Amino acid sequence: MPQYDYDLFVIGAGSGGVRAARMASSHGVKVAIAEQRYLGGTCVNVGCVPKKLFVYASQFQDQFDAAAGFGWMVGKSTFDWPSLIANKNREIERLHAIYNNLLQKAGVSIITGRAQVLDAHSVSVDGKQYSAERILIATGGWPFVPDIPGKQHIVTSNEMFFLDQLPKRIIIVGGGYIAVEFASILNGLGVNTTLCHRGHKLLRGFDEDIRDFLAHEMTRKGINILFNTDIEAIESAGDCFAVRLIDGGKVTTDLVMYATGRTPNSTGFGLEKLGVEWDDEGAIKVNDDYQTNVPSIYALGDVTNRVCLTPVAIAEGMALVNKLYVNQPRPVDYDTIPTAVFSQPNIGTVGLTEAQAREKYPDIDIYKTSFTPMKNTLSGIDEKTLMKMIVVRSTDRVVGMHMAGPDAPEIIQGMAVAIRAGATKAVFDSTIGIHPTAAEEFVTMRETVKQI
Ligand SMILES: Cc1cc2nc3c(=O)[nH]c(=O)nc-3n(C[C@H](O)[C@H](O)[C@H](O)COP(=O)(O)OP(=O)(O)OC[C@H]3O[C@@H](n4cnc5c(N)ncnc54)[C@H](O)[C@@H]3O)c2cc1C
């Protein structure tokens, strides 16, 4: 008789949990997965997927405006928010069915409800108890909202995906990728958009040139960016809100959205009692094998707050299963993880920023170009593209690539392979470009703009 009901009990059917459950099950492991809210987790329901659909929606007005330059006369266009929400919801339902199918086919038992960890080997869901040799915590994160007067009026990215109607005016608080993406989406949909950030630049951690360029382009597109300030209080004022800023400023708006970080979902389901350790920000502490201080309990993805991205959670899920059940450790390499910001303009980036490269190497060359994308020559759209490459002079290794402009994430994904393969600048220089594209600029950058 087996000692436990399951070999592996996964809590949370998001990016990391689903991948770990499916992979483990395909290797003959007896797996259950508990999900309290929605299959696919944050990414599918209130993250990457609906966000990208909104980004597409927000780009049409620019396309309509651009059309005339190419001879197209487009009639009066109108936008219907409820249609977008309904179509988006239908697509997410389709993805739910796919996730359900994939898990079922892999032989994973899907248990619906909120899981509580009872001890190192048992979990309960809706009063029913299950035992497992190992428990995997893949419970993700949740938007953080500070405790300010009027907090009850605030919405987060979670609610933005289900608004009944589009506001005429919005103020978005934050300077990270979710804040700038939503500011770009709403501005593109015609909402009068203010972005309020307590720092002096957007996108902390990104290359300084990209940060400056983005703020400039977003401002040019009509987004009102308030730096070095924050909201002090929000008051209801009839059918809108009066927002008081810490610098004395006042903003009247129809909606206040906060994108001020996310907190790991690590409390309230039994881990406290077991003494599972987490850091000051609530991230569950794990070793290199995703094992917590309680040996039968593992954790990965956003709840460990390492690199909070879907492909990283997926890679961690696969690494865990390879280690535990395939006996072929393939650890995740956290260096040179490419990332994108789906702002307007889009950003794609991989490797070191100029500041990081300066710290790490004594000799670096910077290549940089800024130009009007070909499409914009006829479209009349006054948006530029920025591309930047960072090279270590002594080894000729390319250690960072950054781009802001159309298709930047698509282009940088390919560049990330080259960087990981250790490509030198000479390799880039000897690569034939694809003409006419923006991407070809990365293989035709000849003049350094800065030598350090
Ligand atoms: C607005 C937004 C946009 C984003 N855009 C991108 C992007 O463009 N690219 C990208 O790579 N990443 C993006 N992300 C980040 C990405 O969504 C996360 O990194 C990823 O979903 C993390 O996966 P995870 O498995 O750790 O957790 P999640 O996907 O959050 O899944 C955790 C699951 O656990 C469930 N759960 C929690 N507690 C319990 C419990 N006690 N019992 C049962 N179930 C429980 C939750 O309901 C949830 O479904 C975005 C995130 C947000 C919020």
Side-chain angles (χ1 to χ4, degrees):
M1 284 292 283
Q3 194 185 347
Y4 300 108
D5 299 332
Y6 293 101
D7 300 317
L8 179 67
F9 195 103
V10 182
I11 304 182
S15 310
V18 166
R19 183 56 64 96
R22 277 178 58 206
M23 279 266 301
S25 196
S26 72
H27 287 289
V29 176
K30 195 172 180 206
V31 186
I33 191 164
E35 172 54 50
Q36 65 180 4
R37 199 169 275 115
Y38 28 43
L39 285 183
T42 303
C43 177
V44 167
N45 296 278
V46 287
C48 336
V49 174
K51 184 265 306 277
K52 188 89 187 272
L53 295 174
F54 281 13
V55 169
Y56 287 129
S58 71
Q59 290 170 339
F60 280 92
Q61 188 58 58
D62 267 2
Q63 305 292 333
F64 297 146
D65 293 345
F70 294 89
W72 284 92
M73 296 309 144
V74 180
K76 184 174 161 7
S77 58
T78 56
F79 172 66
D80 185 48
W81 173 258
S83 296
L84 172 63
I85 296 290
N87 294 342
K88 181 268 294 178
N89 289 345
R90 200 171 316 119
E91 170 60 10
I92 305 272
E93 284 304 316
R94 192 182 71 85
L95 295 177
H96 286 163
I98 289 175
Y99 269 74
N100 193 46
N101 241 337
L102 287 172
L103 286 164
Q104 304 262 19
K105 266 201 190 142
V108 176
S109 309
I110 304 173
I111 300 169
T112 304
R114 181 166 172 80
Q116 291 283 337
V117 182
L118 303 176
D119 62 42
H121 294 283
S122 39
V123 174
S124 80
V125 183
D126 285 344
K128 191 150 187 250
Q129 209 165 311
Y130 306 88
S131 63
E133 185 186 9
R134 295 186 173 103
I135 297 169
L136 172 60
I137 313 295
T139 47
W142 199 249
F144 165 79
V145 176
D147 214 358
I148 57 159
K151 183 181 178 181
Q152 70 277 15
H153 303 305
I154 292 169
V155 297
T156 68
S157 54
N158 283 351
E159 293 76 44
M160 290 302 292
F161 292 112
F162 300 96
L163 289 181
D164 289 337
Q165 56 177 30
L166 200 58
K168 286 202 168 45
R169 299 162 294 186
I170 189 166
I171 181 163
I172 298 175
V173 183
Y177 81 94
I178 295 177
V180 300
E181 287 178 342
F182 270 94
S184 296
I185 289 167
L186 289 151
N187 183 58
L189 294 177
V191 177
N192 183 323
T193 304
T194 298
L195 183 60
C196 168
H197 178 41
R198 65 179 180 189
H200 69 290
K201 281 189 188 188
L202 303 172
L203 292 185
R204 186 160 55 91
F206 282 69
D207 189 89
E208 295 297 309
D209 281 325
I210 294 286
R211 300 175 77 186
D212 292 338
F213 185 82
L214 179 67
H216 182 74
E217 291 295 321
M218 285 177 71
T219 305
R220 271 213 314 198
K221 282 188 170 289
I223 297 170
N224 175 27
I225 307 181
L226 309 174
F227 284 115
N228 302 310
T229 190
D230 207 346
I231 292 185
E232 192 171 68
I234 306 163
E235 279 164 21
S236 173
D239 54 2
C240 58
F241 299 107
V243 172
R244 219 168 51 235
L245 303 177
I246 53 169
D247 57 14
K250 289 195 172 102
V251 179
T252 304
T253 189
D254 303 309
L255 197 62
V256 183
M257 174 189 167
Y258 266 63
T260 45
R262 292 173 61 81
T263 312
N265 263 333
S266 53
T267 54
F269 58 97
L271 298 182
E272 301 89 333
K273 237 180 25 227
L274 275 174
V276 170
E277 286 176 4
W278 52 72
D279 69 14
D280 295 345
E281 285 166 8
I284 296 180
K285 287 191 193 171
V286 288
N287 63 18
D288 289 346
D289 296 326
Y290 308 101
Q291 192 175 30
T292 70
N293 59 315
V294 178
S296 59
I297 300 190
Y298 293 76
L300 53 73
D302 283 11
V303 75
T304 59
N305 202 19
R306 288 184 176 188
V307 181
C308 294
L309 292 171
T310 280
V312 176
I314 290 173
E316 291 177 345
M318 295 201 291
L320 177 72
V321 172
N322 280 328
K323 163 86 188 166
L324 292 182
Y325 301 113
V326 190
N327 207 14
Q328 272 176 9
R330 283 190 214 131
V332 177
D333 182 351
Y334 291 90
D335 275 344
T336 54
I337 292 173
T339 185
V341 180
F342 296 96
S343 47
Q344 283 303 332
N346 279 193
I347 290 168
T349 176
V350 58
L352 303 181
T353 64
E354 182 179 329
Q356 289 165 339
R358 277 168 185 259
E359 248 176 49
K360 197 163 172 192
Y361 300 103
D363 56 330
I364 57 168
D365 288 343
I366 308 292
Y367 296 82
K368 194 163 71 174
T369 179
S370 174
F371 55 92
T372 302
M374 191 173 180
K375 188 173 174 190
N376 291 355
T377 55
L378 296 197
S379 72
I381 294 175
D382 189 19
E383 183 187 293
K384 290 208 158 10
T385 285
L386 174 73
M387 294 165 87
K388 181 170 177 180
M389 195 178 214
I390 297 159
V391 179
V392 178
R393 197 160 45 250
S394 50
T395 59
D396 202 36
R397 281 278 295 271
V398 178
V399 293
M401 296 180 77
H402 309 275
M403 176 173 177
D407 304 322
E410 307 284 346
I411 292 169
I412 289 292
Q413 178 68 83
M415 300 299 160
V417 178
I419 289 206
R420 286 192 56 79
T424 58
K425 180 68 166 62
V427 170
F428 276 86
D429 291 347
S430 65
T431 302
I432 305 286
I434 298 175
H435 186 70
T437 62
E440 69 179 315
E441 293 290 326
F442 273 135
V443 295
T444 56
M445 287 174 159
R446 296 284 184 262
E447 304 290 321
T448 53
V449 293
K450 223 190 294 176
Q451 291 202 309
I452 293 131

